[in-house]
Amino acid sequence: MITRRSLLAGIPAVLAAKGAAPPAPWGATPSPRQLAWHDLEFTGFLHFTVNTFTNKEWGYGDESPDVFNPEKFDADAIIDALAAAGMRGVILTAKHHDGFCLWPTKTTDHSVFYSKWRGGKGDVVRDISQAAARRKMKFGVYLSPWDRNNAKYGTPDYIKIYRQQLTELLTGYGPIFEVWHDGANGGDGYYGGAREKRSIDRNTYYDWPKTWEMIRAMQPDACIFSDVGPDIRWVGNERGIAGDPCWCAYDPVGDNGGPASPGNVRAKESPTGTRNGKLWIPAECDVSIRPGWFWHEAENSRVKTPRQLAALYYQSAGRGADFLLNVPPNSQGLISAEDTASLKGFGDYLRATFAQNLAARAKTDATHVRGNDKRYGPANLVDGLPDTYWATDDRVTGADVTFELPRPARIQVIRLREAIQFGQRIDAVEIERWEQASWQPLANATSIGPRRIIRLDAPVIAQRVRLRVTQASASPALSEFALFSEALSA
Ligand code: FUL
Ligand code: CA
């Protein structure tokens, strides 16, 4: 009898398999929850609390809950303003350093429940999470570890309270995509009337590993953000600017060279990450649309313009980080007209610029294709599909792809994406255009990762473009090469 086994016997495994196997992952690789987070690219931050009414950036914790009274609070209007900019997620300060909770928590009387707002029946966390869900935006929470109101702050009892607050937030408001732990910690505060300075040991006080285990159990898909990850790292500045290069791998080190923890990190490495690092902890760029994190009337004329937001987008999302833009609701509980206009202008710019990939119908040709197998061919770079990629054989770490566009095009923005499920493999690329019978340099870049967007100083006209992978730590695997002409509005 002829069996399948006997037919295959003696045929080398590579030939017996259908085509070449995908590349083996190299170095640190993202988890599924991190892959989903990378796809968000641009998210919003809402800083909102008693400070919005007291004109402060850091509340002392002695505010009367009644000062919180956003009479026209409209979660749908807030979410609409963020969605108009193209944001795909939103993170709310459920509790800032003042300790005032925007939901009716059972853990403290410093909350909306004890305010006159909506007769104590209001719940900002509920309303924002539901409005986000209606708009298909992901919802996340910021819960300040430092609590300047709580009498127990500095004792082990406060850690129980903090975890109880997290439990309320992570079990009561649907799916959470990101949990944000601020590094600012300790110092003076109201502390239940003690009005004193309290210092904690940043490495040990919070027992973060245990808290993170609890978050995993309650919301396994949530990414945990802090100065040191474990899923997402702070980029090391509050200006919204990632390093260049910006590696997704990052092995954090404490201020003094010892172990790192939230609030204790050697921040000079945060913008770039660690080439060859063991852990995949990509950067997030948090920055405010205004000078302050909270709304202040005096800053209404200092809202960043669409042009400034576009520059930040290229310096954050364009370097493979996520762009987290803070837009603080005002004391009425709405996004001010200045911010709304700027968000809309920036959203229009993004939509117009990235609407059409000029390379989408290009003819592609590569110097190397993995196993000469079409499944890894260069057409995968321009098919608009995130899961298909061009790859080379394992031993090939330098290769070129040419793109022949149907007609000459005006190009100003170039976007590349690696197939990061296999790690961040590429160290450097060059991009050229064919001009006057030779290849002329157009742009170059180092780290790519989930995204590299290059904005040229001025538009160029080109019909033939060449991508050269000039340095790679492992055979390249890229899922996208796209060309755009920039919208003029920003
Ligand atoms: C900082 C905080 O102290 C600011 O108030 C703000 O929340 C910013 C995002 O993080 O560390
Ligand atoms: Ca593709």
Side-chain angles (χ1 to χ4, degrees):
M1 189 173 81
I2 301 175
T3 60
R4 192 174 148 73
R5 182 184 289 261
S6 63
L7 270 176
L8 291 177
I11 301 174
V14 270
L15 295 180
K18 282 203 218 108
W26 176 85
T29 51
S31 64
R33 72 172 78 87
Q34 289 172 318
L35 283 171
W37 178 86
H38 282 297
D39 280 346
L40 296 177
E41 179 178 316
F42 178 32
T43 53
F45 219 170
L46 294 173
H47 272 67
F48 193 36
T49 183
V50 287
N51 298 346
T52 311
F53 304 84
T54 58
N55 206 24
K56 286 189 183 160
E57 279 289 305
W58 281 8
Y60 191 64
D62 63 346
E63 306 78 14
S64 156
D66 283 337
V67 306
F68 186 84
N69 192 19
E71 282 178 343
K72 296 190 175 151
F73 176 71
D74 182 342
D76 285 304
I78 291 171
I79 294 298
D80 281 351
L82 303 185
M87 292 175 179
R88 301 193 187 111
V90 56
I91 299 170
L92 171 69
T93 55
K95 179 187 86 170
H96 202 251
H97 308 328
D98 48 76
F100 185 78
C101 295
L102 297 187
W103 78 103
T105 175
K106 295 197 177 81
T107 60
T108 171
D109 53 12
H110 203 45
S111 85
V112 284
F113 186 76
Y114 292 88
S115 76
K116 280 198 211 121
W117 179 59
R118 294 187 175 173
K121 296 204 173 70
D123 184 342
V124 180
V125 178
R126 179 194 60 206
D127 288 9
I128 294 289
S129 64
Q130 291 179 353
R134 280 193 283 277
R135 266 289 194 174
K136 305 238 177 311
M137 266 168 81
K138 307 266 182 207
F139 178 67
V141 289
Y142 166 116
L143 186 72
S144 171
W146 185 24
D147 189 322
R148 304 176 89 191
N149 169 265
N150 207 288
K152 298 280 168 52
Y153 184 77
T155 74
D157 279 349
Y158 171 73
I159 303 308
K160 287 191 201 136
I161 294 168
Y162 185 76
R163 288 179 180 156
Q164 184 55 35
Q165 293 175 342
L166 264 179
T167 304
E168 290 176 3
L169 291 170
L170 302 191
T171 57
Y173 297 95
I176 300 289
F177 84 99
E178 183 166 336
V179 180
W180 224 87
H181 301 299
D182 201 307
N185 247 307
D188 65 325
Y190 176 68
Y191 304 129
R195 296 182 181 276
E196 61 190 9
K197 188 165 180 220
R198 293 185 183 172
S199 313
I200 50 98
D201 181 329
R202 288 161 195 243
N203 281 342
T204 56
Y205 178 56
Y206 293 102
D207 186 5
W208 286 114
K210 169 120 194 265
T211 300
W212 293 341
E213 227 175 78
M214 289 176 54
I215 295 174
R216 292 281 192 249
M218 292 186 278
Q219 293 272 351
D221 297 334
C223 279
I224 303 171
F225 167 98
S226 82
D227 291 340
V228 298
D231 298 309
I232 308 164
R233 75 176 189 265
W234 183 49
V235 77
N237 65 70
E238 293 185 339
R239 292 175 293 118
I241 300 178
D244 187 1
C246 180
W247 306 108
C248 290
Y250 175 56
D251 293 342
V253 176
D255 249 339
N256 53 9
S261 61
N264 172 17
V265 69
R266 205 161 67 193
K268 72 174 197 296
E269 282 130 53
S270 308
T272 51
T274 318
R275 186 61 179 139
N276 303 325
K278 283 192 285 298
L279 307 168
W280 186 275
I281 310 179
E284 180 181 78
C285 296
D286 59 319
V287 59
S288 186
I289 197 167
R290 290 163 168 254
W293 290 99
F294 289 91
W295 177 82
H296 307 287
E297 180 145 42
E299 293 180 353
N300 281 352
S301 59
R302 298 178 66 196
V303 173
K304 291 184 176 71
T305 62
R307 188 182 287 271
Q308 288 174 304
L309 295 179
L312 285 177
Y313 172 79
Y314 289 106
Q315 292 173 98
S316 56
R319 293 176 182 171
D322 269 18
F323 181 24
L324 175 60
L325 179 64
N326 178 63
V327 187
N330 62 25
S331 57
Q332 293 188 304
L334 296 166
I335 302 297
S336 294
E338 295 84 350
D339 311 61
T340 303
S342 200
L343 291 172
K344 169 80 167 55
F346 176 54
D348 288 344
Y349 166 84
L350 283 182
R351 283 181 288 272
T353 298
F354 295 100
Q356 197 202 345
N357 175 6
L358 300 165
R361 281 196 303 277
K363 266 198 241 136
T364 55
D365 188 25
T367 55
H368 297 83
V369 172
R370 188 172 184 79
N372 284 322
D373 183 336
K374 251 193 165 170
R375 287 180 308 164
Y376 305 106
N380 290 342
L381 289 165
V382 293
D383 62 1
L385 302 173
D387 293 337
T388 62
Y389 54 92
W390 163 66
T392 66
D393 286 326
D394 290 346
R395 63 187 161 75
V396 177
T397 54
D400 302 346
V401 182
T402 48
F403 302 84
E404 176 96 37
L405 276 50
R407 66 191 69 84
R410 182 178 174 278
I411 298 162
Q412 194 157 7
V413 177
I414 303 165
R415 188 173 67 201
L416 297 144
R417 298 184 201 270
E418 275 184 86
I420 52 172
Q421 65 271 34
F422 305 114
Q424 193 164 7
R425 308 162 75 97
I426 296 176
D427 292 278
V429 294
E430 286 172 13
I431 295 145
E432 302 164 324
R433 71 169 155 153
W434 184 257
E435 197 199 19
Q436 291 174 352
S438 69
W439 288 110
Q440 299 294 324
L442 193 55
N444 52 58
T446 52
S447 58
I448 299 172
R451 204 179 312 104
R452 166 68 80 159
I453 315 177
I454 304 165
R455 183 194 212 179
L456 304 176
D457 293 337
V460 297
I461 306 289
Q463 186 166 12
R464 284 177 81 190
V465 175
R466 179 160 76 169
L467 165 67
R468 318 197 70 183
V469 177
T470 52
Q471 202 188 324
S473 299
S475 60
L478 279 161
S479 63
E480 183 187 10
F481 181 83
L483 302 169
F484 304 97
S485 83
E486 191 176 3
L488 296 170
S489 52

